Amino acid sequence: MFIFKSCSNNIELQNLTLVSEFHLMRISDDPELQPILFGLFLSMYLVTVLGNLIIILAVNSDSNLHTPMYFFLCNLSLADICFISTTVPKMIVNIQTHSKEIIYVGCLTQMSFLILFGCMDGLLLTVMAYDRFVAVCHPLHYSLIMNPRLCGSLVCLSLLISLVDSQAHNLIALQIIYFKDVKISNFFCDPAQLLNLACFNTFINNIVMYFVGAISGLLPISGIFFSYYKIVFSILKIPSKGGRYKAFSTCGSHLSVVCLFYGTAIGVYLGSAVSHSPRSTAVASLIYTVVTPMLNPFIYSLRNKDIKRAVKRLHRRML
């Protein structure tokens, strides 16, 4: 939820044409920590990109994994690579150059892609929840329902909704004429932080943001809850413990990623609401934007025997 505030009379207004850059917050101002932070975030970025690329290559190289679930997983891995690439490279460059500036156009661009791929992540997790719902609750009709045409349409629909969400935020940001400050209390152009610097109060924009927030936030969470509500009831009807375990094990990896993604996202917003410390909010955002995409490949590879076998085959082929 974004709150738009009007500037008080004693605040000096800056015209948009005079604001050429914003100042991002540093993770740490200690000069001795800068090389350590540079190496840490560069390593995390490379691990994330490499891990998700391995998932994509392993799925595409193994014909046994050409199923709807792994098709969605490939798209999720691609979205994770793009998601982390919108924030971490700029942060690494700023650490190396001891800079914290980002130009106005670059800030809006970063915000747009961050919302685009973040929303894409959430919607793909919802689509994957629906896939698990069909697999567990309607196993005999799974291949008929989850046909290639529907799978492609679901991914395209997720991309379209994400684009609408991103451009809605962008259009509202472009309407900002005055800013209260140029300091953003985060290491990237956080949409909430940027729009809170706005010096305007428009009822229509608030309505648009509530509508967009409902589509990008409430809709995916509701879809995931409904799918797992049906899945749990279907699993409880299975008489044998082995059958119940086998049915639920197909959802384990996806459920772990959902909890990690939405758990950290909710933690960021609750933390920013409870704590007034910009540093703690930035650390929570760091977990959401960096740690979550990095852990996704490990969750799927460690909990999924098919992925393990595909990665081993890919490794043997490369050798």
Side-chain angles (χ1 to χ4, degrees), residues 71-72 127 130 134 142 144-156:
F71 170 71
F72 296 135
V127 170
Y130 174 72
V134 176
Y142 178 75
L144 181 64
I145 297 173
M146 301 302 296
N147 57 75
R149 184 177 179 181
L150 178 63
C151 293
S153 299
L154 289 173
V155 172
C156 290

Side-chain angles (χ1 to χ4, degrees), residues 21-33:
E21 62 184 24
F22 291 97
H23 295 170
L24 301 175
M25 189 180 72
R26 293 177 179 175
I27 300 298
S28 174
D29 294 321
D30 188 351
E32 296 181 357
L33 286 178

Side-chain angles (χ1 to χ4, degrees), residues 74-111:
C74 282
N75 284 277
L76 180 67
S77 295
L78 182 59
D80 279 337
I81 292 174
C82 297
F83 184 55
I84 195 173
S85 296
T86 60
T87 56
V88 175
K90 176 60 179 175
M91 181 174 63
I92 292 173
V93 170
N94 285 352
I95 292 174
Q96 183 66 15
T97 58
H98 306 287
S99 172
K100 56 182 181 179
E101 289 80 19
I102 183 170
I103 62 173
Y104 174 77
V105 175
C107 186
L108 290 187
T109 303
Q110 186 184 66
M111 182 189 74

Side-chain angles (χ1 to χ4, degrees), residues 239-272:
S240 64
K241 290 183 178 179
R244 287 197 295 267
Y245 175 78
K246 184 178 181 181
F248 192 75
S249 64
T250 62
C251 310
S253 298
H254 175 260
L255 192 58
S256 300
V257 173
V258 167
C259 293
L260 182 64
F261 181 80
Y262 282 105
T264 53
I266 293 171
V268 168
Y269 286 102
L270 289 180
S272 61

Side-chain angles (χ1 to χ4, degrees), residues 180-211:
K180 292 179 287 187
D181 200 352
V182 294
K183 294 180 181 179
I184 298 176
S185 300
N186 216 324
F187 67 93
F188 60 90
C189 285
D190 185 2
Q193 295 283 343
L194 182 63
L195 295 177
N196 277 335
L197 296 177
C199 292
F200 70 102
N201 188 359
T202 306
F203 176 75
I204 296 177
N205 285 336
N206 283 334
I207 296 299
V208 171
M209 295 310 301
Y210 289 138
F211 177 73

